[in-house]
Amino acid sequence: MRSVAVTPEGDHIRWVELPGQEPPRVYVHGLGATSPAYFTEVAVDPRLAGRRSLLIDLLGHGISDRPTTFDYTLESHADALAAALTQAGVEGAELIAHSMGGSVAIVLAARHPRLVSRLVLIDANLDPIRRAPGSSGSSGIAFYTEEEFARGGGWEEVRDRVGAHWWSTMRLAGREALHRSALHLIRGSVPTMRELLLDLRIPRAFLLPEADGPLPGADALTESGVSVVAIPDCGHNIMLDNPEAFVKATAAALAER
């Protein structure tokens, strides 16, 4: 495990690193998740192995620190990640990023272009969404006030909704971190993540579950050079539900020029 301070208060981002050749690959998890748990199996697959690979946890999540003074906006997440990557000597990385991590990766590529040479986004959030009571995702978490979630019954209610698999990593996240991250994820960035993605001039791919049907706005994404790939036999956690198809699609996306 490796660690660097990324805030003036000394809060640390941590990651598991697999040795290999440059340029590096950086794996970024989604809301309430952790990169080593979600990506190790696919990162060591022979079709993706051989690169220096950082399975990194965003602030507030997994093995990273959980500061309560951090605001956890997408921009702040991206800047903290940029600080960690810079101190790790990373430049021109290929980012493989899931869900909220994909949103952070888009903002990172827009704000810190020297750090990112390519994006593979896994069912990432591209647009703002509404709060939704009873949802187990970001819209349900953000429905509570921070006080209700962190010190009222919200934490326990979400625990009971998300199921044992997601809770196994969600329980590692700071309560304030989880709520603020969810709130800012549904609010999105300005410009939106979709608008930023359309404007990027690096190779980009977007993987989504085939069962979800066509990706909204896919034509505009394709016209801007984004490769949109539907993956069969999976849900939102594509790399866990169908690792074989995920590795095949990701390797193909990383090989595109």
Side-chain angles (χ1 to χ4, degrees):
M1 183 178 69
R2 306 198 179 185
S3 175
V4 295
V6 296
T7 68
E9 294 75 24
D11 303 299
H12 279 66
I13 275 182
R14 298 182 178 86
W15 67 93
V16 171
E17 184 162 330
L18 306 176
Q21 297 179 347
E22 301 284 340
R25 289 186 181 144
V26 177
Y27 293 82
V28 189
H29 61 84
L31 181 70
T34 170
S35 290
Y38 274 65
F39 286 112
T40 297
E41 179 182 359
V42 295
V44 300
D45 186 284
R47 290 164 289 182
L48 295 180
R51 291 285 189 87
R52 180 190 178 197
S53 298
L54 289 75
L55 283 64
I56 200 161
D57 281 351
L58 299 171
L59 274 183
H61 291 72
I63 56 176
S64 291
D65 285 348
R66 301 177 290 179
T68 58
T69 55
F70 194 71
D71 62 16
Y72 295 98
T73 64
L74 292 175
E75 293 80 4
S76 293
H77 269 307
D79 290 346
L81 180 55
L85 296 180
T86 298
Q87 293 180 73
V90 169
E91 191 167 316
E94 299 174 338
L95 264 69
I96 301 171
H98 178 230
S99 196
M100 182 187 79
S103 305
V104 172
I106 293 168
V107 176
L108 174 71
R111 291 169 71 89
H112 305 276
R114 68 177 182 81
L115 296 177
V116 183
S117 65
R118 182 185 298 268
L119 289 175
V120 178
L121 305 171
I122 310 156
D123 210 17
N125 304 65
L126 298 182
D127 305 297
I129 58 176
R130 294 182 178 180
R131 304 184 193 198
S135 167
S136 59
S138 56
S139 59
I141 294 171
F143 183 77
Y144 300 96
T145 67
E146 184 174 311
E147 179 68 22
E148 290 170 339
F149 183 76
R151 283 165 285 280
W155 175 257
E156 289 79 12
E157 290 174 7
V158 169
R159 175 199 62 198
D160 295 341
R161 288 200 298 265
V162 301
H165 183 272
W166 196 2
W167 185 251
S168 69
T169 59
M170 186 180 286
R171 64 188 174 85
L172 303 176
R175 297 189 186 191
E176 293 85 0
L178 190 61
H179 184 270
R180 293 175 199 171
S181 293
L183 182 63
H184 290 295
L185 179 60
I186 70 166
R187 289 176 176 172
S189 59
V190 180
T192 66
M193 298 82 78
R194 182 182 297 271
E195 291 168 324
L196 294 174
L197 180 61
L198 288 169
D199 285 342
L200 292 174
R201 293 297 176 261
I202 56 176
R204 295 148 294 155
F206 191 103
L207 312 185
L208 74 156
E210 185 177 75
D212 286 357
L215 178 68
D219 289 345
L221 292 171
T222 301
E223 289 173 6
S224 78
V226 179
S227 176
V228 178
V229 183
I231 308 296
D233 304 321
C234 66
H236 180 57
N237 298 322
I238 299 173
M239 75 294 288
L240 299 178
D241 297 338
N242 192 344
E244 171 62 27
F246 173 82
V247 168
K248 183 178 179 180
T250 300
L254 293 170
E256 289 181 358
R257 298 300 175 192

